Each structure stands twice: as C-alpha cells, then as structure tokens.
Amino acid sequence: IAGITQAPTSQILAAGRRMTLRCTQDMRHNAMYWYRQDLGLGLRLIHYSNTAGTTGKGEVPDGYSVSRANTDDFPLTLASAVPSQTSVYFCASSESSGNTGELFFGEGSRLTVL
Amino acid sequence: GQNIDQPTEMTATEGAIVQINCTYQTSGFNGLFWYQQHAGEAPTFLSYNVLDGLEEKGRFSSFLSRSKGYSYLLLKELQMKDSASYLCAPQDSNYQLIWGAGTKLIIKP
C-alpha cells in the first residue's frame, strides 16, 4: 500500500528557477494539502484542495501555486524559487475536508534554494 | 488570533511516564489531534479528542478540556523508540488543523 508518494525526496535548486513538487495518493481521498515545516515552527498550510477541480489558499500561499486536475494528484509549483522557500514540504490527504478524519502524510520533500 | 503552546523539549527515562501539555486558542473548535513525528520522517496520527475527558489507546492516552483550551498526551512505559516530536493540532471552525511547533521528547536509558 503506497498511500501518498512525494517526489523528489530532496532537491537543491538555484534561486529564480521553477520547481514542481509532485504528490500522488492512491486512497481516493477527496481532500489534499501542502504544508511546509521549518525548524521551530509548526506545520504551515500552503494550499489545499477539498475535492478535484477546486483549490484554496492556506496560511502561507505566496510564491506557490497548485492544481487538482484529478483526485489522485496535487502538484505544488514554485514559479521562481527564493531562499526563504528552503524547507521540508509535506503533502497530506484526508477522506474529506469537512470532517474530523486524520491526515495521512507523504514522506516529505526537502528543498534547498541557494 | 490562533495560538498553540507546548513545551519545546522534554527529557524522560526509559520505563517512566511523561505528560506533554498543550494549550490552545482557536477560532472555533472541532477536536484536537496529536501526531508523532520521528526525526526526518512524516507525522503519524496518534489520537483524536473532541469531547472532554481521557482517551486511552495502549501506552498512549490523550486528555481534553475544551473549557480550559487544554490537552495533554500521556505516554506510559516509555521506550527508546518513543523519542520523537509530538505535535498538538486543534481543528478550527473550518476544520483546518492549527499546528503547534511540537515537543521534542528525549528518552534516556
């Protein structure tokens, strides 16, 4: 059982470059999320999608974009990376958004922007 | 605003009991989650409380007091593998999780 798969697991990127982090889930969950995790801070929500075809902004959306063309995939794009986007990025999913179900996380993507 | 407060780091001895506290302020409330996160890994679900009281699950228990905006996670019979960060995450009125920075628990032999 794969659950949620993220790629790449680690990437070093030059500032100004475009980067897409991929996220795929096989649990047929409706809701998906992108978080970033930085030392000393809690997980911060970047963007979310309650169902295929819809997306919403989280707490820290600037500099990031997402799309949800189908149920399984939820890529996160950095149009022009900056050093402050150096972080660990986690994709997560839940059965639906408006309930109290647990989140399932991918293994994370460690991004370094130089 | 929304705020989560939990200790940054705690140390305990193998075989002992430890209680990790969490106080929170959120816009509305729809329950509180605890997650465990080992270094370099993804968070994994531990417990969920929506009603006041204690929820027990094996060696782990979680307590909630909605009126006090307070929760704790109790770990019994500590094992070395319990060394991890423990994340408190209440759910606001929009069902969004608000994450604390986590408590790093160090278990010593």
Side-chain angles (χ1 to χ4, degrees), chain A residues 24-90:
Chain A
T24 300
Q25 54 108 354
D26 62 2
M27 297 176 283
R28 307 304 293 170
H29 284 174
N30 284 312
M32 296 188 75
Y33 312 83
W34 273 106
Y35 289 94
R36 61 178 288 173
Q37 187 174 41
D38 302 291
L39 197 63
L41 299 177
L43 288 160
R44 291 184 291 171
L45 183 65
I46 304 170
H47 285 286
Y48 64 93
S49 170
N50 290 335
T51 189
T54 70
T55 62
K57 294 181 179 181
E59 180 186 356
V60 288
D62 293 345
Y64 305 95
S65 63
V66 292
S67 61
R68 187 87 183 278
N70 56 62
T71 297
D72 298 343
D73 301 300
F74 191 45
L76 176 74
T77 297
L78 290 68
S80 179
V82 295
S84 62
Q85 291 178 312
T86 294
S87 187
V88 180
Y89 292 85
F90 287 101

Side-chain angles (χ1 to χ4, degrees), chain A residues 35 37 40-43 45 90 97-103 105-106, chain B residues 30 33 35 37 41-43 45 48 87 91 95-97 99-101:
Chain A
Y35 289 94
Q37 187 174 41
L41 299 177
L43 288 160
L45 183 65
F90 287 101
S97 59
N99 71 1
T100 54
E102 66 179 275
L103 290 184
F105 286 86
Chain B
N30 278 304
F33 290 82
Y35 280 76
Q37 186 177 25
E41 297 183 9
F45 170 79
Y48 169 71
L87 313 181
Q91 199 168 33
Y95 293 96
Q96 294 291 352
L97 291 177
W99 296 86

Side-chain angles (χ1 to χ4, degrees), chain A residues 37 40-43, chain B residues 4-6 22 86-90 98-103:
Chain A
Q37 187 174 41
L41 299 177
L43 288 160
Chain B
I4 315 301
D5 191 23
Q6 53 181 130
C22 172
Y86 292 86
L87 313 181
C88 171
I98 311 302
W99 296 86
T103 298

